[in-house]
């Protein structure tokens, strides 16, 4: 594994550090956000040019004939830069919050260590907090939230998969249960069945043949689901339907992977489950309800 991609020596010590480290997880997260931003911008521009989305008011770029603070009408794609910043800040804060809630015993033992550590991030926590923050921002800009979600959510699914490559390279504990090479089907390569994660960032020694590299499985599922959603996006779905289907995809993908993934377990209504399993089921239900509600909505033309 390669948790650290690059060490850049500093000419002098800064806050006790003698070098700057480029981590593989951070690099892949940056690629994930940039990819989602680029694809979302393309889709929002397409919707705008097709007349599906109206304009938004944005500040004009400074120029010799442009007064400071001048507002102009533009495609909603211009909001993506701010949306990405909200996603990054809200995502990290939410991921850390949900990790704390999932590991309260460790938090109470050493709150500062858990809060300020670079590890310990729960994806669903980040997704929920970032989503709430983005919904508020988009509403403030008076953009059709359903269409905006149709454009963005499939790209977020792909970004999630790319981020999982970062987890795999870092060996950050987001791996599966122990696997056995003796059970491996002949057509499956060894690296896709059992991984020992040498040099993982947690410095853990994994048992036996290794564990299932679930991060790779999640990348594969996310990429395939995104490809299907991207191909279907221009098929005339009613607004909100594609976003709702994407929410279902998120829930199904994570619910499946949880069956072979190492995670903290608890009890809910007498059933042993993980936090991610509960949220996955909730997402599937919310997504299915969303599909039903959006499919039942009629356009003005149909009502007339």
């Amino acid at each position: 594994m390669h948790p650290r991609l690059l060490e850049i020596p500093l000419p002098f010590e800064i806050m006790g550090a003698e070098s700057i480290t480029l981590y593989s997880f951070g690099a892949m997260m940056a690629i994930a956000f940039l990819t989602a931003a680029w694809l979302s911008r393309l889709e929002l521009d397409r919707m705008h040019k097709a007349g599906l989305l109206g304009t938004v008011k944005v500040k004009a770029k400074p120029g010799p004939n442009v007064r400071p603070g001048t507002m102009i009408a533009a495609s909603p794609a211009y909001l993506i830069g701010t949306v990405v910043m909200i996603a990054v800040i809200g995502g990290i804060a939410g991921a850390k919050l949900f990790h704390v809630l999932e590991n309260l015993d460790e938090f109470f033992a050493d709150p500062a260590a858990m809060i300020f550590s670079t590890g310990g991030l729960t994806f669903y926590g980040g997704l929920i907090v970032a989503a709430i923050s983005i919904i508020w921002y988009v509403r403030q800009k008076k953009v059709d939230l359903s269409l905006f979600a149709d454009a963005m959510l499939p790209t977020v699914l792909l970004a999630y998969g790319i981020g999982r490559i970062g987890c795999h390279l870092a060996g950050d504990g987001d791996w599966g249960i122990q696997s056995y090479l003796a059970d491996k089907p002949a057509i499956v390569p060894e690296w896709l069945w059992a991984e020992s994660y040498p040099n993982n960032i947690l410095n853990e020694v994994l048992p036996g043949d290794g564990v299932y590299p679930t991060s790779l499985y999640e990348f594969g599922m996310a990429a395939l689901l995104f490809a299907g959603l991207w191909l279907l996006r221009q098929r005339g779905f009613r607004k909100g339907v594609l976003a709702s289907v994407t929410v279902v995809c998120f829930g199904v993908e994570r619910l499946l992977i949880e069956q072979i993934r190492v995670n903290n377990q608890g009890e809910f209504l007498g059933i042993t489950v993980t936090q991610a399993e509960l949220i996955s089921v909730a997402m599937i239900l919310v997504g299915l309800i969303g599909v039903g509600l959006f499919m039942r909505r009629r356009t003005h033309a149909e009502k007339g």
Side-chain angles (χ1 to χ4, degrees), residues 85-213:
M85 289 302 300
I86 294 173
V88 171
I89 296 171
I92 293 175
K96 179 63 69 172
L97 172 62
F98 273 64
H99 179 70
V100 168
L101 294 176
E102 196 176 27
N103 300 275
L104 286 175
D105 52 342
E106 295 180 28
F107 172 73
F108 288 124
D110 193 348
M114 177 168 281
I115 291 174
F116 295 106
S117 69
T118 57
L121 298 175
T122 301
F123 166 74
Y124 271 146
L127 179 65
I128 292 170
V129 173
I132 292 172
S133 303
I134 292 171
I135 287 171
W136 176 84
Y137 174 73
V138 171
R139 284 191 176 278
Q140 292 298 307
K141 294 297 181 179
K142 296 180 172 58
V143 176
D144 189 307
L145 184 59
S146 299
L147 286 173
F148 197 88
D150 284 339
M152 277 211 69
L153 280 184
T155 73
V156 174
L157 180 58
L158 177 62
Y160 170 70
I162 295 172
R164 283 307 187 200
I165 295 295
C167 294
H168 180 72
L169 293 174
D172 62 0
D174 290 329
W175 48 58
I177 58 177
Q178 184 176 357
S179 58
Y180 300 92
L181 289 175
D183 298 332
K184 182 183 72 67
I187 62 172
V188 179
E190 185 175 318
W191 58 269
L192 198 56
W193 186 264
E195 176 59 67
S196 59
Y197 288 96
N199 305 315
N200 66 78
I201 201 165
L202 301 179
N203 295 316
E204 288 191 19
V205 178
L206 301 184
D209 297 328
V211 297
Y212 291 111

Side-chain angles (χ1 to χ4, degrees), residues 218-279:
E218 289 203 83
F219 167 72
M221 285 191 285
L224 288 173
L225 289 170
F226 165 77
L229 293 167
W230 191 253
L231 291 173
L232 291 172
R233 75 191 193 284
Q234 297 187 46
R235 293 300 181 90
F237 292 109
R238 289 178 180 173
K239 65 180 183 180
V241 171
L242 193 65
S244 299
V245 171
T246 306
V247 172
V248 174
C249 290
F250 262 116
V252 170
E253 182 275 325
R254 188 57 186 269
L255 186 62
L256 290 174
I257 210 67
E258 280 295 297
Q259 309 313 304
I260 58 169
R261 188 173 181 268
V262 172
N263 221 329
N264 295 331
Q265 293 184 326
E267 282 200 4
F268 180 75
L269 300 179
I271 304 172
T272 301
V273 294
T274 67
Q275 181 190 80
E277 285 177 322
L278 288 176
I279 298 176

